């Protein structure tokens, strides 16, 4: 069962403790939580890279998550002023551009997915940013920025199209359901 965002908003410290001790999310080395302005939950996390990437000297990342009572989420990489980021929102926020809100729900995190899936999304995004800094290539289908001409951004690769079908929010009886729903 996913750790609900309602619980994160009510007790960010308990949510941080859950991330440290429940063994449900890889790589959480440190976590602290508190209530911030407007009732937002503030989580500060230290995330270590996957073992293979650690051997490649990928950095341990520090990030601050702001989860507002309306479930809007902002992720701010800490200690990042000297590093380039490909997917970051423009000033004044400069938070990570994690997803396009109008894209297919199968390929986005939604609040019902819970805290663990959110942390995994942020962690993966930070790893992808480092891969991009090293190679100049985003390691998955790269979502374009800005408003698409019609509806959602098109899915360009067969792999992403397949994953969209696999993780559909309203699957047919033959498709797997998302593990957090």
């Amino acid at each position: 069962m996913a750790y609900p965002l309602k619980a994160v908003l009510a007790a960010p410290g308990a949510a941080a403790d859950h991330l440290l001790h429940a063994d449900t999310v890889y790589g959480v080395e440190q976590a602290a939580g508190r209530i911030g302005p407007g009732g937002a939950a503030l989580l500060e996390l230290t995330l270590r890279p996957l073992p293979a990437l650690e051997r490649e000297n990928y950095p341990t990342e520090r990030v601050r998550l702001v989860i507002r009572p309306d479930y809007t989420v902002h992720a701010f990489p800490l200690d990042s002023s000297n590093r380039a980021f490909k997917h970051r929102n423009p000033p004044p926020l400069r938070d990570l551009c994690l997803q396009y809100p109008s894209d297919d729900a199968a390929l986005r995190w939604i609040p019902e997915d819970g805290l663990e899936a959110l942390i995994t999304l942020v962690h993966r995004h930070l790893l992808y940013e480092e891969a991009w800094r090293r190679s100049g290539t985003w390691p998955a289908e790269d979502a374009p920025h800005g408003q698409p001409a019609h509806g959602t951004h098109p899915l360009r690769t067969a792999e992403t199209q397949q994953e969209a079908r696999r993780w559909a929010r309203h699957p047919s009886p033959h498709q797997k359901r998302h593990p957090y729903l």
Side-chain angles (χ1 to χ4, degrees), residues 65-169:
L65 293 181
V66 177
I67 303 169
R68 296 186 350 203
D70 66 358
Y71 301 123
T72 301
V73 173
H74 301 281
F76 300 94
L78 303 173
D79 303 327
S80 64
S81 61
N82 62 343
R83 296 187 293 166
F85 284 84
K86 182 173 187 180
H87 289 283
R88 229 169 157 173
N89 288 311
L93 284 181
R94 304 283 299 146
D95 58 333
L96 294 176
C97 181
L98 296 171
Q99 56 193 8
Y100 179 68
S102 295
D103 276 343
D104 188 324
L107 300 175
R108 289 184 290 116
W109 173 86
I110 60 173
E112 291 80 10
D113 292 339
L115 181 62
E116 297 90 347
L118 175 61
I119 301 304
T120 300
L121 172 68
V122 170
H123 195 184
R124 182 185 66 210
H125 187 100
L126 291 166
L127 293 170
Y128 282 11
E129 290 283 0
E130 182 64 19
W132 170 77
R133 281 190 285 275
R134 290 168 180 236
S135 69
T137 302
W138 195 256
E141 182 170 333
D142 195 4
H145 284 90
Q147 189 76 8
H150 303 287
T152 64
H153 294 291
L155 303 179
R156 301 192 189 287
T157 65
E159 294 84 5
T160 303
Q161 292 167 5
Q162 179 180 351
E163 290 303 301
R165 287 188 300 273
R166 178 178 174 216
W167 295 105
R169 297 289 178 174

